[in-house]
């Protein structure tokens, strides 16, 4: 796809701007004097047609716009009505129906930002509305026609991680008829579930229910499993990803291996089986477990002695090739689902629990392998120290989880799997076994889970509410003495046990940082992948076309992983089921002639773009990957050369808005630049909630606070603005564009420092964080700023500005010369 | 508890362990039996064994080299156990001496071909027992009544004839040096060395007064000090070609040692071919492979080395 050019306005085009002013019943007209607005609008240069409407968004109102465009040959339209967050899409449609490019229309928010928030000062509200229209017209003059961008879509998907979540996603997509590549970095798909014995709360055998799904994946004509392989690189963008995968050598040729296992039988070498939590062993040529899919044997060269017994027995099949090399394959997909799961924490660094030191202290995952009939002990729960069956087993919950010094979060499924383990033990060994569970809280909020907890209690399990302080071992018997605090009785308690099972935290998968880097994903403070929106887009990654399924996004048990797998599949299908993908053209474009990277090493934009949407090659101008650009404008504000423009939010347009806003009495005004998703929405809410605040504010909307250029602030001050406010999403995670707010903060912190050093009162330039829910906060904020403005007084402001002006002018001029 | 790996270095033994839930692999090196030759380190397919030469203290005898095994690299295959001429390394699984490389014929067993015909033994002879440099021979006698006989000389001649002699050789520790055979006048013991080879010392290159090789040689009589020139000479008859001497010799080329053939049970094994290459030479390996007409294996050896004409 070619890069869109920076559209140029045709020089000799005569501007014919139409302004449509909405009464919104009495919502606007009840406070704002519409007559004044109409008369005022007619005086604005280039405005050739002004029309008022009772309800502009209703059909007749829209018809007026269409008529106006046709009859008066309007080539720009300004609608002064409600918030653009409300009806911008409606009027875009309206103007395009009349044959005007939808990006040649602008909205002036005179309801939420005037009538509703200044009801007791109608004249000031009217003045604010006038300025809003003037600012909208100022922007409209500089607007350019833009085309919605369409990119073709590859109708295939890649699923990274073949656990239960990934398998379900792959199967669903395959059933919808899409080709799916299922990438797994271990030898077999299956994930953790394949290693479990039973599953709560129904206690059905894990591999018995997962095995058939694994086989289905292996057999489905639309699924290609690429196991024992790593994700190396992903290029491209939504609908068009180019993926490089490295298949690691198995030293067995996949197509020739029949999975007979004869080689395993003749191989003399055994090594600890990691898949078995190293409780048992496997052969140097083997599969990690019998039900592995794909059923291809693998030689572990770390242990193999190269006796070639396997080669002999494999004979004419000639499946073994010691010379096999890693192989890189390239695939193209339209969407990617990440389902890389989790790891289990091994508490070697909690010495008081004795894991790794005392042979009879194990983790729950190890317990799964012990109680599993196909496991290394044949399903016998026995102690490592003497091979005897334990009579007293203590389970300890929240090991590492909900621990401020380790993993502060709850690992979600540990309570339930421990309940499973104790029920299994009690129902298998009955009176022969004594079971204790030390817990902080038992969390059983799923379907049938609380009933399962009851089942455990009825089975006579001793539940003790308390955190374990330490475990000691009797060196002769290897029994363990558990010391804890019984919080119910508020007494110290001591229990002697033959075996201790630690329900250890589930933690972010090793290699998640690498996956995050390759796919440009972000991770939360807990290390799990961050979704685009925690409520409404729980399966969407911040990178378009990438989705999450399963525990990699946040810990969840099997039913939820399965559901999310299906959910992610349907999200991915919304991309790959389309022949083309549409992108709003508010993206960034690089003016190649100005980009510094051509002659020097720059790359600031590549570094600052939260989406990896800019690519830099030495001595070449920066390139924006249009389909990956989310249109935050951070790069535009960062570019030292002003070589980047954000379409529809150009420097010229925003500066024109600032100039229009500050044309009269600038010292009395608060110039506010608000990000669309949080602060602008919060200000809208202040209006809809009728929170009244001073009408001295003039607000400009940008998509992201990351777009706020230093020049905007400087220009506002140069023009004499009384106060300047930048409104952004809350740190650290609220930014709609991942981290635009951080980049804005870094930039403005430095600027503010400098300005205060030059004599500006610090309160005159503020950066504030307001969420879409904080209407009241916005109103209070403006009240506070206005108080400060008054306290400073017009004269002081003027004096400061006079002092600043020449320096600022110098700075702005220097920049223009560059 | 998952895999626990343990390494202990005590005065008399070096032990490595893998402790799994139900399996316990243990590799133990008996330092008393170890002579510091390099056979194990050459045979080890994982190159996990290092031979560490000990610094020489002026005025003292040279010390045998020490063996160190890397726990990270060792895969408990037991090839060192099988290969050690002195039986100094033992691999056990849950306490039992298990060698799956032998069971699966992935590696050959060294053939300690020792034949004893006790009928030929003089009834009171203990020459071999005394001669064995490693004290591996135990002679016991049983009288006509089945009772052990302590001193044959005390028996009346009629009973003396009916004394039965049992000669017990701890074969697993025997390096087949043939000392006993040569000490046995009637020829009751026949030993075939399992390693054949050549050893020579170029006395011109030996530093004056150096007896390092002799100091560490475990076989009495394989090396000796000549009174003539106070230099060490070889008695090839007794040499078992273990190479303990070669390890400590301070001068290049003063001592040359070549193993040319190893007697072992028949196997087809890449691991053995590799070990053989290192223990003998590519030439030796190819010779053996030629003998077994294993063309494919021969090619891989040739590929790995720039083949001399001789090999082809
Ligand atoms: C001891 C224990 C007992 C449990 N018992 C139950 C139970 O009884 N019932 C229940 O509902 N839940 C249980 N769970 C939870 C259950 O294991 C998880 O809900 C489930 O495994 C999550 O599935 P997943 O596919 O998201 O992740 P995983 O099962 O972790 O699968 C992830 C897959 O992705 C692969 N992968 C990882 N990184 C990469 C990469 N970079 N490239 C390619 N592939 C990659 C992994 O190899 C793996 O195959 C238990 C968990 C534990 C620890
Ligand atoms: S060559 Fe390696 S994998 Fe094959 S049988 Fe021998 S030890 Fe096992
Ligand atoms: S920084 Fe923002 S606007 Fe610039 S290229 Fe990246 S996503 Fe687009």
């Amino acid at each position: 796809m070619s890069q869109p050019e920076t559209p140029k306005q045709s020089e000799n085009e005569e501007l014919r701007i139409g302004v449509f002013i909405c009464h919104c019943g009495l919502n606007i007209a009840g406070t704002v004097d519409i007559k004044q607005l109409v008369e005022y609008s007619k005086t604005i240069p280039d405005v050739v047609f002004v029309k008022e409407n009772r309800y502009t968004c209703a059909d007749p109102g829209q018809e007026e716009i269409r008529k106006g465009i046709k009859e008066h040959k309007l080539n720009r339209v300004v609608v002064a009505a409600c918030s653009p967050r409300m009806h911008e899409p409606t009027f875009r449609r309206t103007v395009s129906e009349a044959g005007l490019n939808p990006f040649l229309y602008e909205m002036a928010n005179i309801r939420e930002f005037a009538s509703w928030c200044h009801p007791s000062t109608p004249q000031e509200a009217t003045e604010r509305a006038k300025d809003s229209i003037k600012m909208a017209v100022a922007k409209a003059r500089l607007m350019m026609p833009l085309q919605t961008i369409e990119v073709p879509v590859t109708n295939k998907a890649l699923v990274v991680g073949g656990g239960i979540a990934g398998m379900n996603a792959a199967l669903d997509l395959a059933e919808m008829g899409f080709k799916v590549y299922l990438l797994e970095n271990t030898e077999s798909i299956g994930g953790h579930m394949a290693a479990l014995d039973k599953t709560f709360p129904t206690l059905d055998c894990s591999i018995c229910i997962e095995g058939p799904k694994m086989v289905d994946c292996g057999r489905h004509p639309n699924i290609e499993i690429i196991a024992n392989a790593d994700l190396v690189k992903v290029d491209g963008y939504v609908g068009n990803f180019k993926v490089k995968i490295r298949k690691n050598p198995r030293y067995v040729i996949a197509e020739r291996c029949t999975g007979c296992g004869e080689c395993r039988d003749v191989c003399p070498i055994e090594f600890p089986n990691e898949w078995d939590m190293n409780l048992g062993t496997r052969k140097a040529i083997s599969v990690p477990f019998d039900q592995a899919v794909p059923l291809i044997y693998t030689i572990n060269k770390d242990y193999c002695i190269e006796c070639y017994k396997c080669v002999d027995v494999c004979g004419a099949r000639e499946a073994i090739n010691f010379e096999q090399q890693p192989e890189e394959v390239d695939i193209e997909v339209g969407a990617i689902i990440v389902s890389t799961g989790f790891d289990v924490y091994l508490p070697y660094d909690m010495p008081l629990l004795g894991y790794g030191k005392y042979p009879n202290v194990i983790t729950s995952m190890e317990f799964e392998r012990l109680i599993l009939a196909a496991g290394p002990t044949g399903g016998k729960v026995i102690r490592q120290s003497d091979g005897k069956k334990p009579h007293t087993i203590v389970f300890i919950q929240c090991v590492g989880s909900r621990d401020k010094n380790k993993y502060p979060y709850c690992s979600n499924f540990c309570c339930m799997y421990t309940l499973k383990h104790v029920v299994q033990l009690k129902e298998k060994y009955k009176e022969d076994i004594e079971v204790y569970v030390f817990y902080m809280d038992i969390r059983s909020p799923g379907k049938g889970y609380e009933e399962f907890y009851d089942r455990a209690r009825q089975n006579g399990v001793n539940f003790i509410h308390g955190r374990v302080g330490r475990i000691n071992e009797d060196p002769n018997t290897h029994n363990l003495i558990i010391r804890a605090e019984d919080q119910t009785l508020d007494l110290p308690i001591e229990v002697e046990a033959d075996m201790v099972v630690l329900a250890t935290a589930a933690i972010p998968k090793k290699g998640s940082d690498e996956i995050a880097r390759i796919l440009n994903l972000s991770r939360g403070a807990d290390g799990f992948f961050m979704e685009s929106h925690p409520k409404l887009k729980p399966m969407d990654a911040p990178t378009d076309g990438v989705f999450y399924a399963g525990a990699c996004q946040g810990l969840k048990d099997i039913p939820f992983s399965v559901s999310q797998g299906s959910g992610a599949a349907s999200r991915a299908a919304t991309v790959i089921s389309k022949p083309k993908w549409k992108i709003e053209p508010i993206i960034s474009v690089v003016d190649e002639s100005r980009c510094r990277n051509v002659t020097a090493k720059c790359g600031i934009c590549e570094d600052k773009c939260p989406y990896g949407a800019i690519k830099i090659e030495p001595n070449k101008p920066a390139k924006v990957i249009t389909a990956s650009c989310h249109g935050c404008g951070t790069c535009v504000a960062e570019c030292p050369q002003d070589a980047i423009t954000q379409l529809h939010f150009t420097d010229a347009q925003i500066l024109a808005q600032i100039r229009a806003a500050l044309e009269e009495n600038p010292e009395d005004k608060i110039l506010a630049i608000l990000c669309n998703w949080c602060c602008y929405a919060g200000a809208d809410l202040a209006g809809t909630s009728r929170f009244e605040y001073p009408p001295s504010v003039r607000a400009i909307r940008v998509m992201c606070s990351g777009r706020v250029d230093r020049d905007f602030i400087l220009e506002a001050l140069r023009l004499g603005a009384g106060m300047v406010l930048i409104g952004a999403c809350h740190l650290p995670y609220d930014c709609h564009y991942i981290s635009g707010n951080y980049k804005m903060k870094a930039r403005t912190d430095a600027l503010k420092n400098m300005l205060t050093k030059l004599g500006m009162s610090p309160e005159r330039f503020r950066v504030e964080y307001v969420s879409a829910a904080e209407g009241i906060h916005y109103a209070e904020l403006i009240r506070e700023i206005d108080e400060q403005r008054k306290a400073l007084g017009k004269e002081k402001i003027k004096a400061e500005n006079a002092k600043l002006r020449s320096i600022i002018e110098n700075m702005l001029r220097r920049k223009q010369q560059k | 508890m998952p895999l626990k790996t343990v390494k202990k270095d005590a005065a008399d033994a070096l032990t490595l362990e893998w402790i799994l839930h139900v399996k316990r692999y243990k590799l133990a090196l008996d330092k008393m039996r170890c002579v510091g030759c390099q056979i194990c380190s050459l045979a080890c397919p994982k190159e996990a064994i290092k031979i560490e030469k000990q610094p020489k203290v002026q005025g003292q005898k040279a010390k045998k080299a020490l063996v160190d095994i890397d726990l990270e690299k060792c895969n408990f295959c037991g090839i060192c156990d099988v290969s050690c001429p002195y039986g100094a390394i033992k691999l056990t699984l849950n306490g039992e001496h298990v060698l799956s490389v032998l069971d699966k014929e992935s590696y050959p067993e060294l053939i300690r071909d020792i034949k004893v015909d006790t009928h030929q033994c003089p009834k009171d002879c203990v020459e071999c027992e005394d001669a064995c440099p490693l004290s591996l021979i135990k002679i016991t006698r049983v009288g006509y009544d089945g009772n052990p006989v302590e001193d044959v000389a005390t028996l009346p001649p009629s009973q003396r004839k009916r004394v039965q002699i049992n000669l017990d050789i701890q074969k697993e520790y025997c390096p087949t040096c043939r000392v006993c055979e040569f000490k046995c006048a009637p020829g009751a013991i026949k030993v075939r060395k399992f390693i054949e080879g050549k050893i020579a010392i170029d006395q011109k290159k030996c530093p004056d007064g150096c007896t390092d090789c002799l100091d560490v040689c475990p076989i009495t009589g394989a090396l000796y000090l000549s009174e003539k020139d106070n230099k060490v000479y070889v008695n090839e008859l007794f040499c078992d070609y273990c190479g303990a001497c070669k390890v400590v010799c301070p001068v290049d080329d003063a001592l040359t040692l070549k193993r040319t053939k190893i007697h072992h049970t028949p196997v087809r094994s890449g691991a053995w071919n590799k070990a053989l290459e290192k223990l003998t030479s590519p030439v030796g390996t190819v010779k053996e492979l030629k003998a077994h007409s294993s063309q494919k294996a021969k090619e891989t050896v040739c590929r790995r080395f720039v083949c001399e004409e001789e090999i082809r």
Side-chain angles (χ1 to χ4, degrees), chain B residues 53 205-207 246 248-255:
Chain B
K53 228 171 128 166
K205 292 193 173 146
C206 294
K246 178 77 195 156
V248 296
C249 177
V251 186
D252 275 352
D253 300 338
L255 192 151

Side-chain angles (χ1 to χ4, degrees), chain A residues 588 608-611 613-614 624 628-636 646:
Chain A
S588 289
K608 300 285 179 183
C609 175
Y611 297 95
I614 303 194
V624 176
S628 301
C629 174
H630 283 52
C632 65
T634 299
C635 54
V636 186
Q646 183 186 6

Side-chain angles (χ1 to χ4, degrees), chain B residues 268-284:
Chain B
R268 270 163 56 89
S269 155
W272 168 244
N273 293 347
K274 246 196 185 155
L276 185 64
E277 245 171 66
K278 286 199 269 177
L279 287 168
T280 61
S281 63
V283 188

Side-chain angles (χ1 to χ4, degrees), chain A residues 265-272 277-281 301-309 312 323 348 355-359 361-362 366 370 376-377 382-384, chain B residues 1-4 18-25 45-46 72-77 79 93 100-101 104-107 267-272 274 296 300 303-304:
Chain A
D265 297 340
V266 299
C267 177
I269 300 297
E270 285 185 347
F271 70 97
M277 298 305 288
N278 290 334
L279 295 181
T281 54
K301 279 232 188 168
D302 287 349
Y303 296 95
C304 169
I305 59 169
E306 305 200 8
C307 64
Y308 306 136
K309 285 284 134 186
D312 284 352
E323 248 81 282
Y348 286 110
Y355 180 77
K357 194 165 66 173
Y358 306 146
V361 178
I362 63 172
E366 287 154 21
L370 276 190
T377 58
I382 51 174
R383 313 205 306 164
Q384 198 258 298
Chain B
M1 192 196 53
L3 174 72
K4 192 166 169 177
W18 270 355
I19 306 169
L20 291 95
H21 204 85
V22 283
K23 285 186 177 171
R24 199 177 181 118
Y25 285 88
K46 293 281 126 192
E72 295 275 301
K73 290 186 182 162
C74 173
N75 64 356
F76 293 79
C77 67
I79 284 180
L93 170 56
S100 59
V101 284
K104 307 280 184 190
E105 296 183 1
S106 285
Y107 202 79
V267 287
R268 270 163 56 89
S269 155
W272 168 244
K274 246 196 185 155
K296 207 166 170 189
T300 57
R303 218 180 307 131
R304 241 177 316 191

Side-chain angles (χ1 to χ4, degrees), chain A residues 160-167 183-186 188-194 196 198-201 210 229-231 339-344 364-366 368 413 416-417 420-421 449 504 506 509-512 515 549-552 555-561:
Chain A
V160 184
I164 189 64
M167 278 165 32
L183 173 68
E184 168 59 49
N185 64 354
T186 67
S188 168
I189 58 171
H192 281 95
M193 188 175 168
L196 304 179
K198 301 267 159 54
T199 54
F200 59 73
E210 198 194 27
D230 292 313
L231 187 64
S339 48
T340 49
F342 63 99
D343 269 335
V344 171
S364 298
M365 199 63 213
E366 287 154 21
E368 291 278 351
F413 39 66
M416 286 310 295
Y417 69 58
K420 169 180 76 175
H421 293 159
Y449 289 8
T504 57
K509 185 81 199 171
K510 194 164 156 260
S512 293
I515 295 289
C552 64
L555 296 164
K556 46 184 77 66
D557 60 15
I558 294 164
F560 281 96
S561 301

Side-chain angles (χ1 to χ4, degrees), chain A residues 542-760:
Chain A
T543 308
D544 280 345
V546 180
F547 305 95
Y548 300 130
C552 64
Q553 171 261 348
L555 296 164
K556 46 184 77 66
D557 60 15
I558 294 164
F560 281 96
S561 301
V562 170
S563 321
Q564 211 185 16
S566 295
S570 85
R571 293 291 300 133
T574 61
V575 176
I576 58 175
S577 60
K578 294 192 179 80
K580 297 233 186 287
W581 185 252
K582 282 199 174 100
I583 297 166
E584 274 233 339
I586 56 168
I587 46 138
S588 289
V589 286
V590 176
D591 179 347
E592 304 197 343
S593 64
R594 294 180 79 161
C595 179
R596 187 164 74 171
N597 201 59
V598 181
T599 48
K601 208 169 157 273
C602 178
I604 292 176
C605 51
E606 183 184 43
D607 188 43
K608 300 285 179 183
C609 175
Y611 297 95
I614 303 194
K615 288 275 165 292
I616 291 282
E617 280 174 48
N619 304 322
K620 289 212 179 112
K623 269 218 151 37
V624 176
I625 302 151
T626 307
S628 301
C629 174
H630 283 52
C632 65
T634 299
C635 54
V636 186
E638 292 287 346
C639 177
Q641 214 56 17
D642 283 344
I644 313 182
T645 303
Q646 183 186 6
L647 301 183
H648 212 55
F649 289 90
T650 65
D651 278 1
Q653 289 167 356
I654 295 170
L655 288 170
Q657 283 173 289
I658 295 173
R659 286 176 197 133
L662 298 173
E663 206 168 29
E664 285 144 34
N665 303 323
E667 296 81 10
D668 297 337
K669 286 179 181 163
I670 305 168
L671 185 90
I673 305 181
L674 314 178
C675 83
N676 179 60
W677 305 98
C678 292
C679 197
Y680 195 96
D684 267 354
L685 183 63
T688 25
S689 320
R690 313 296 203 279
F691 293 135
E692 191 155 7
Y693 56 83
S696 52
V697 59
R698 298 292 176 269
I700 295 170
R701 180 173 73 122
V702 287
M703 295 314 285
C704 174
S705 65
R707 172 71 185 88
V708 177
D709 206 307
R710 284 158 38 114
D711 292 359
F712 301 164
I713 299 148
L714 293 174
E715 177 69 3
L717 291 171
R718 184 185 75 86
L719 294 170
M723 312 296 266
V724 176
L725 165 70
I726 310 299
C729 302
H730 279 288
L731 300 170
Y733 297 132
D734 277 11
C735 179
H736 194 78
Y737 302 94
I738 304 173
S739 56
N741 51 356
Y742 270 109
K743 307 215 161 109
M744 175 275 296
K745 181 174 186 300
R747 200 183 303 141
T748 51
D749 277 354
L751 181 65
K752 179 162 183 172
N753 237 328
M754 188 201 80
L755 290 170
T756 32
K757 279 209 186 99
L758 292 173
M760 182 195 74

